[in-house]
Amino acid sequence: PDDIALRWIQPMPADFHARFGAIARRYRYITLNQAQRPAILNNQVTHIYEPLDLKAMQQAAADIVGTHDFSSYRAAACQPVRTISHANLFAHGQFIVFDIQADGFLHHMVRNLMGTLYAIGRHELEPADFLNILQKKDRTIAPPTASGDGLYFINAYYPERFQSLLPNAPLTPVWLNLPD
């Protein structure tokens, strides 16, 4: 399909599995936080026109680092326990970047987390509500799922015996290689 491009190819050992062999994955979710809607980046970022409280959102995101049951932030029944190694929110000009890495992600997990972070940024919820929702293990109490616009897969990480065989090439558009 037109929305898939092959950037490199590498023969791998027979016991390598791109999906099930990964020990971590990393995503970035990009929000344009300004009054004017985007033109060039339309459908490539989520646009939130009202100002968001980044500090409150950062405080909430810090609470999910570690191992938790993410039942409140999943879209389908699956094994919900995941370990988040980092969940960083930072501003880059008018953009808010959510950079998250974990041993795995549930269906719509990053978008569901963002939906709650937006509610916190709008002061509809308090930062402490983020962890309270997580601990209740009930998807029905969390805010709606955020748009898929702005969600980017950054990388998959493998055990060293496989990682060393892979090229050290970014998988994402160059404009997503922002400083942390």
Side-chain angles (χ1 to χ4, degrees):
D2 289 343
D3 61 345
I4 295 176
L6 186 63
R7 304 216 19 218
W8 49 262
I9 188 167
Q10 172 68 38
M12 296 298 286
D15 61 337
F16 174 80
H17 194 287
R19 180 176 173 202
F20 298 116
I23 56 174
R25 291 169 181 80
R26 183 176 179 185
Y27 285 88
R28 278 196 169 166
Y29 192 98
I30 312 296
T31 304
L32 178 60
N33 190 211
Q34 67 180 23
Q36 302 80 19
R37 71 174 184 81
I40 296 173
L41 294 177
N42 190 38
N43 299 323
Q44 295 180 43
V45 298
T46 290
H47 175 234
I48 303 293
Y49 64 89
E50 69 268 27
L52 295 171
D53 183 344
L54 179 62
K55 291 207 183 300
M57 294 169 71
Q58 289 170 324
Q59 181 182 346
D63 286 340
I64 64 167
V65 174
T67 302
H68 303 282
D69 180 322
F70 284 91
S71 294
S72 294
Y73 295 106
R74 69 178 175 182
C78 54
Q79 206 292 5
V81 177
R82 297 290 187 256
T83 300
I84 307 292
S85 55
H86 74 256
N88 302 323
L89 264 160
F90 60 93
H92 184 75
Q94 293 300 110
F95 296 97
I96 294 175
V97 179
F98 182 43
D99 186 76
I100 185 167
Q101 184 173 310
D103 60 355
F105 289 90
L106 308 173
H107 189 61
H108 294 313
M109 182 175 157
V110 176
R111 292 173 54 198
N112 291 334
L113 292 169
M114 280 307 303
T116 302
L117 289 170
Y118 287 148
I120 291 166
R122 291 179 176 121
H123 298 286
E124 297 165 2
L125 294 173
E126 296 296 319
D129 291 329
F130 198 63
L131 195 53
N132 293 336
I133 291 168
L134 179 73
Q135 292 168 341
K136 292 201 191 288
K137 302 175 187 167
D138 181 358
R139 176 66 190 121
T140 64
I141 64 170
T145 304
S147 167
D149 297 343
L151 178 62
Y152 293 90
F153 176 70
I154 299 297
N155 209 346
Y157 301 93
Y158 298 95
E160 180 55 35
R161 71 187 194 97
F162 295 129
Q163 193 71 44
S164 63
L165 299 173
L166 297 171
N168 191 15
L171 299 174
T172 60
V174 173
W175 70 273
L176 276 175
N177 294 328
L178 305 170
D180 292 332

